[in-house]
């Protein structure tokens, strides 16, 4: 009897570790070709692994700055409401973990409803190539020289026309997963986040117009919060966080306070790291005016990398490679520059492939989290998930 009493009759079930996944994408204009290609390649890897899940469904938060926000929203947007190319195939069911053994691995079921197919990430690289002249129309040499001095290089109508054509009246709140774009507010002297879960009634095109309003290239964006009536003036978030990964972490911490670990995939646009010898500089505007913004941008990047790499609850995967041998302006749409960016994208993936595959491997092991929007069964027409055929 004494022996029986000493035996553990019930074994305490260990709490499963809660892991949340964040995708962060840098700003950089046309250099968005690089993370665009990498996202398409990751999507191809995911599909080849045997799962039918869309890429967006593996992330709990996606955040971008400027061109990175364009890619972030392209990934998380409801493609039925945009002109983004949708992934091929019918909407597919989603399976709950308790029922995994009942169905073939590639068919995903749930009692909650259907997981919608998103836009095709393998089109992201071509977005920049196909639409470059809509966003950055070519001007005469005289106009290119004169306009940055007297006024912004491009009128707002250029980029607004592209965004309106691509996204229409899609609401920011309609993303499949929590999504955010980093902007800067000169009025308040700080960061302003366009967030899908706290959208203030903004449209997706309005959020992207704000985060891409690069000073000297496009005029500031002037908006009004529809729920509060507050007036806003916003510019490119690259002024405060060209790499938005650290901001993404702080937002995810608030969205998922019970999470044990945050795994961040941070995609760069591979801007050249800048260095200069200060030994000959005596100070003053003449010495530092042309250097300050470059140094500040790299210092900001280094701060984010160091902070995230040292946090105990963060696994930080930064994708960057020294593949660009010369500076490429954010609006450089010339064919030689585009070809160089496409080549740089492939070289970056080759250099960083092991890190990317390792991140994707852990990502593929995760079940679908509650952060992913599921269309409820009562909203659907046609057969229930159980009636749909299993994929072979």
């Amino acid at each position: 009897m004494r022996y029986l009493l000493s035996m553990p009759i019930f074994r305490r079930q260990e709490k499963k570790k809660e892991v949340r996944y964040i995708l962060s994408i840098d700003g950089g204009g046309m250099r968005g070709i690089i993370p665009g290609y990498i996202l398409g390649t990751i999507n191809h890897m995911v599909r080849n692994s045997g799962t039918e899940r869309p890429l967006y469904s593996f992330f709990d938060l996606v955040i971008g700055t400027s061109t990175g926000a364009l890619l972030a929203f392209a990934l998380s947007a409801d493609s039925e409401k945009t002109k983004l190319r949708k992934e091929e195939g019918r909407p597919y069911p989603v399976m709950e973990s308790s029922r995994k053994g009942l169905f073939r691995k590639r068919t995903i079921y749930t009692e909650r409803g259907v997981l919608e197919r998103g836009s095709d990430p393998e089109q992201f690289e071509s977005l920049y190539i196909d639409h470059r002249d809509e966003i950055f129309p070519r001007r005469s040499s005289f106009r290119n020289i004169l306009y940055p001095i007297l006024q912004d290089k491009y009128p707002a109508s250029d980029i607004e026309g592209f965004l309106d054509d691509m996204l229409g009246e899609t609401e920011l709140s309609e993303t499949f997963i929590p999504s955010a774009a980093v902007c800067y507010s000169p009025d308040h002297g700080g960061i302003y986040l366009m967030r899908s879960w706290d959208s203030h009634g903004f449209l997706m095109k309005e959020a992207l117009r704000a985060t891409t309003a690069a000073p000297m290239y496009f005029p500031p964006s002037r908006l009004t919060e529809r729920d509060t009536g507050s007036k806003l003036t916003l510019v490119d978030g690259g002024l405060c966080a060209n790499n938005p990964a650290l901001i993404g972490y702080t937002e995810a911490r608030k969205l998922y306070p019970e999470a044990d670990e945050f795994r961040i995939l941070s995609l760069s646009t591979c801007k050249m790291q800048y260095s200069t010898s200060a030994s000959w500089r005596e100070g003053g505007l003449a010495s530092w005016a042309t250097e300050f913004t470059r140094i500040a941008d790299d210092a900001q990047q280094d701060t984010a990398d160091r902070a995230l790499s040292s946090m105990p609850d963060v696994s930080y995967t930064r994708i960057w490679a020294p593949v660009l041998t010369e500076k490429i302006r954010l609006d450089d749409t010339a064919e030689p520059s585009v070809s160089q960016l496409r080549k740089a994208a492939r070289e970056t993936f080759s250099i960083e492939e092991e890190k990317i595959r390792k991140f994707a491997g852990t990502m593929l092991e995760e079940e679908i989290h509650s952060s992913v929007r599921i269309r409820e069964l009562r909203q659907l027409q046609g057969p229930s998930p159980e009636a749909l055929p299993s994929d072979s």
Side-chain angles (χ1 to χ4, degrees):
M1 176 66 79
R2 184 180 299 172
Y3 173 74
L4 289 175
L5 289 174
S6 66
M7 292 179 63
I9 300 175
F10 299 103
R11 199 175 287 272
R12 186 188 296 270
Q13 187 174 4
E14 293 184 9
K15 176 181 176 291
K16 183 181 177 182
K17 185 177 182 180
E18 182 179 336
V19 180
R20 296 290 178 169
Y21 286 79
I22 303 169
L23 174 63
S24 171
I25 313 174
D26 287 12
M30 287 295 294
R31 295 198 308 274
I33 286 173
I34 296 173
Y37 169 79
I38 291 173
L39 283 173
T41 306
I42 294 173
N43 184 70
H44 187 70
M45 290 165 50
V46 167
R47 297 299 291 270
N48 284 346
S49 73
T51 183
E52 285 288 320
R53 282 175 60 181
L55 185 58
Y56 74 79
S57 71
F58 291 96
F59 294 101
D60 299 285
L61 171 65
V62 58
I63 185 168
T65 296
S66 194
T67 199
L70 174 62
L71 290 171
F73 289 167
L75 180 69
S76 65
D78 185 343
S79 56
E80 293 285 359
K81 299 183 178 182
T82 73
K83 286 191 177 179
L84 294 162
R85 187 175 72 230
K86 190 174 184 177
E87 268 194 308
E88 294 181 0
R90 59 173 170 78
Y92 41 89
V94 182
M95 169 174 65
E96 303 223 334
S97 58
S98 61
R99 303 176 64 192
K100 278 184 176 177
L102 301 179
F103 303 97
R104 298 187 187 183
K105 182 179 179 183
R106 291 183 57 164
T107 303
I108 315 174
Y109 288 83
T110 184
E111 295 173 353
R112 287 196 293 144
V114 168
L115 181 67
E116 295 293 329
R117 288 195 183 275
S119 58
D120 184 359
E122 293 179 44
Q123 73 182 303
F124 291 169
E125 178 187 23
S126 63
L127 274 179
Y128 292 90
I129 299 168
D130 296 343
H131 299 283
R132 54 184 156 172
D133 291 331
E134 297 171 45
I135 304 171
F136 302 115
R138 298 184 184 184
R139 311 292 190 190
S140 68
S141 299
F142 176 76
R143 184 183 177 95
N144 282 339
I145 295 171
L146 191 63
Y147 265 56
I149 299 172
L150 301 179
Q151 63 184 77
D152 297 299
K153 191 171 182 179
Y154 303 98
S157 57
D158 290 336
I159 193 167
E160 287 175 358
F162 163 72
L163 293 173
D164 183 62
D165 182 61
M166 187 63 60
L167 301 170
E169 299 302 304
T170 308
E171 295 181 12
L172 179 56
S173 61
E174 295 178 305
T175 56
F176 285 142
I177 54 174
S179 307
V182 180
C183 308
Y184 182 78
S185 171
D187 293 338
H188 300 95
I191 293 169
Y192 185 93
L193 289 181
M194 289 285 191
R195 299 179 287 206
S196 63
W197 63 95
D198 183 25
S199 69
H200 297 288
F202 287 125
L203 303 179
M204 195 174 289
K205 65 182 180 183
E206 292 173 326
L208 288 174
R209 166 72 178 90
T211 188
T212 57
M216 296 191 297
Y217 288 91
F218 295 107
S221 174
R222 291 179 172 83
L223 298 168
T224 302
E225 292 180 347
R226 289 178 175 82
D227 54 352
T228 66
S230 298
K231 304 288 184 181
L232 296 170
T233 298
L234 301 173
V235 296
D236 193 326
L239 292 177
C240 52
N242 200 58
N243 171 7
L246 187 57
I247 297 174
Y249 166 73
T250 61
E251 291 300 304
R253 258 268 156 250
K254 290 182 281 188
L255 283 171
Y256 312 110
E258 302 300 319
D260 300 295
E261 182 182 352
F262 295 89
R263 294 178 183 166
I264 303 174
L265 179 63
S266 175
L267 302 182
S268 76
T269 54
C270 292
K271 184 180 74 66
M272 292 176 62
Q273 288 183 322
Y274 181 73
S275 62
T276 182
S277 173
S279 61
W280 58 271
R281 298 187 183 279
E282 297 181 359
L285 184 62
S287 291
W288 291 103
T290 60
E291 314 294 335
F292 179 76
T293 55
R294 299 175 187 176
I295 293 172
D297 189 43
D298 280 4
Q300 173 203 113
Q301 172 62 64
D302 190 51
T303 299
D305 288 346
R306 285 172 182 264
L308 291 168
S309 297
S310 64
M311 290 179 179
D313 61 345
V314 172
S315 173
Y316 182 57
T317 302
R318 175 67 173 168
I319 304 303
W320 179 90
V323 292
L324 293 177
T325 57
E326 60 186 57
K327 180 182 177 181
I328 296 181
R329 299 188 319 274
L330 65 85
D331 66 335
D332 191 345
T333 60
E335 194 58 43
S337 297
V338 170
S339 296
Q340 185 178 344
L341 288 170
R342 297 190 70 195
K343 180 183 177 184
R346 285 146 182 82
E347 289 176 347
T348 300
F349 179 81
S350 178
I351 293 169
E352 301 284 62
E353 183 174 359
E354 184 178 349
K355 288 162 64 175
I356 293 170
R357 288 191 179 278
K358 181 179 179 182
F359 185 93
T362 61
M363 184 179 75
L364 284 165
E365 295 174 357
E366 287 292 320
E367 298 173 7
I368 296 170
H369 293 172
S370 59
S371 55
V372 179
R373 194 180 90 193
I374 301 291
R375 185 162 299 181
E376 296 179 8
L377 288 174
R378 60 185 174 80
Q379 297 175 330
L380 302 172
Q381 296 180 351
S384 66
E386 287 75 8
L388 294 172
S390 178
D391 294 335
S392 58

